[in-house]
Amino acid sequence: MCIRDSNELDSVLNSKEKAARLVSQNDLKIEEVLDKLRELEMINQKLKRANDNYIEEIRQVEFKSRIFQQDHELEIRRRENLEIELKDKLGHLQANLNEKVTEGLKLSLIHISEPTRLLSISYAVFCLKKK
């Protein structure tokens, strides 16, 4: 490039200054973009950690849910076994009661009356006597 006069020199210098300013502005814009990219990367890392924590919490809830379900099933089985055991004991008690009632039918009542006060109040005592 050949410069002919001072005006042209001024024009070239102005152009160079403008170019330097544009480069400087572009450098600033690039730095701003890089800063934004760094911020986005940090946000992305935070989101990834939060997502990992969320997934871990879900796994813990699922694990606790499975344990609760197993405990619930065990409790149901325990109650069913207890119910069977109680029904069995009740059956034995009913059989024993039936035997005792049958034996009781072989007994008779004796009435004994005795006045215990001067007033006209008396008490009765009933005793069972084998036949």
Side-chain angles (χ1 to χ4, degrees):
M1 169 192 248
C2 182
I3 300 174
R4 298 183 197 127
D5 61 14
S6 66
N7 287 337
E8 199 173 333
L9 177 62
D10 287 340
S11 174
V12 168
L13 289 176
N14 284 336
S15 295
K16 284 185 179 181
E17 287 174 8
K18 285 181 186 178
R21 275 185 292 203
L22 285 174
V23 167
S24 175
Q25 288 174 354
N26 285 337
D27 285 346
L28 288 176
K29 288 180 184 177
I30 290 172
E31 281 301 316
E32 288 174 9
V33 168
L34 290 174
D35 287 343
K36 292 292 182 188
L37 284 174
R38 286 185 206 106
E39 284 179 35
L40 288 173
E41 181 61 30
M42 287 174 51
I43 291 170
N44 189 34
Q45 289 174 359
K46 287 179 182 179
L47 287 173
K48 185 181 180 318
R49 281 193 300 271
N51 189 44
D52 291 345
N53 291 340
Y54 180 71
I55 290 171
E56 182 59 29
E57 287 176 12
I58 289 173
R59 287 182 183 144
Q60 289 176 4
V61 167
E62 289 172 345
F63 177 74
K64 289 176 182 178
S65 177
R66 282 192 302 271
I67 288 176
F68 176 78
Q69 182 67 29
Q70 291 169 354
D71 289 347
H72 181 68
E73 290 170 2
L74 287 173
E75 181 63 19
I76 289 172
R77 280 191 228 111
R78 186 188 70 78
R79 288 183 181 195
E80 288 170 348
N81 292 337
L82 183 61
E83 183 179 357
I84 291 168
E85 184 181 327
L86 289 175
K87 284 181 180 179
D88 188 44
K89 286 182 180 181
L90 180 61
H92 288 299
L93 288 173
Q94 285 176 336
N96 288 341
L97 181 61
N98 288 338
E99 287 176 25
K100 299 293 181 188
V101 168
T102 304
E103 286 177 17
L105 293 176
K106 298 175 188 171
L107 302 174
S108 62
L109 291 174
I110 300 172
H111 176 255
I112 302 171
S113 179
E114 178 184 340
T116 58
R117 297 181 185 210
L118 296 174
L119 299 173
S120 61
I121 299 174
S122 64
Y123 294 92
V125 178
F126 294 89
C127 299
L128 296 175
K129 178 182 175 185
K130 284 191 180 183
K131 291 182 179 179

